[in-house]
Amino acid sequence: MKKIYFKEEHCMACRLCEIACLVAHSKSKKIIKAYKEEFPKLTPRLVIEQKGPLSFAIQCRHCKDAPCISACITGAMKKNKKTNEVSHDSEKCVGCWMCIMSCPFGVILMDAKEKKVATKCDLCKDIGSPACVEACPNEALIYKEASGK
Ligand code: SF4
Ligand code: SF4
């Protein structure tokens, strides 16, 4: 499967990846509308943590033995056996937040639009490849086949 990898030595904390993520998951897909006209305002599904000169992207790792799947009481969190993508089914989600509590990376969010359901990185399946990777001017984010697969 393909995964998003991060090279911290290439990141300058410009946060273009966060902006691209938010716009990609907005209704309009337009930057001004997404930030100024769409409410409730979305939260990017990838965040840049920064301390001094260091910055690091935090997003879903699509874990091999994903604790969010084990914790989910309704089967809303699931793994695609072919691609290994860990995805979330909003139809099955009841908003118990067990996945949020179990994810060691803190990358599952409450959906800003629906409130009762969780949301997370979906690898931008709708547009073909992750918007954060496309937006990074420094190739700090790379989408490639996982090593050993
Ligand atoms: S777009 Fe690239 S350089 Fe900018 S914050 Fe994101 S990962 Fe870092
Ligand atoms: S949401 Fe968290 S626990 Fe679940 S696959 Fe992604 S990183 Fe792993």
Side-chain angles (χ1 to χ4, degrees):
M1 80 169 281
K2 283 175 102 174
K3 283 187 126 176
I4 298 173
Y5 291 91
F6 181 71
K7 287 187 176 173
E8 68 181 64
E9 66 275 22
H10 287 192
C11 180
M12 58 184 194
C14 63
R15 297 177 192 270
L16 290 173
C17 48
E18 290 185 1
I19 295 169
C21 178
L22 189 148
V23 174
H25 295 97
S26 69
K27 205 170 151 195
S28 64
K29 316 285 186 215
K30 305 262 190 263
I31 188 167
I32 300 293
K33 284 190 175 171
Y35 274 85
K36 298 273 202 182
E37 294 173 21
E38 290 182 24
F39 296 98
K41 197 170 158 197
L42 299 177
T43 308
R45 300 173 186 197
L46 156 151
V47 291
I48 295 292
E49 291 285 341
Q50 188 175 13
K51 188 160 190 192
L54 291 177
S55 51
F56 203 87
I58 301 179
Q59 84 283 356
C60 178
R61 264 62 171 172
H62 300 275
C63 307
K64 194 170 167 212
D65 297 311
C68 60
I69 296 178
S70 315
C72 181
I73 60 171
T74 66
M77 300 296 307
K78 59 190 179 196
K79 184 177 271 287
N80 180 315
K81 291 201 170 85
K82 276 193 189 148
T83 65
N84 272 333
E85 179 207 353
V86 174
S87 64
H88 170 260
D89 182 345
S90 58
E91 296 292 317
K92 287 187 178 173
C93 180
V94 292
C96 69
W97 311 137
M98 288 302 290
C99 58
I100 291 180
M101 287 188 279
S102 67
C103 174
F105 299 100
V107 293
I108 305 181
L109 307 163
M110 192 188 295
D111 188 294
K113 287 177 284 190
E114 298 187 52
K115 296 283 186 214
K116 84 169 180 63
V117 300
T119 189
K120 65 181 279 300
C121 166
D122 58 2
L123 297 173
C124 295
K125 284 191 298 289
D126 295 353
I127 58 172
S129 63
C132 56
V133 174
E134 299 292 328
C136 180
N138 301 326
E139 298 184 359
L141 289 158
I142 300 164
Y143 189 46
K144 63 173 189 176
E145 280 303 321
S147 51
K149 290 268 172 187

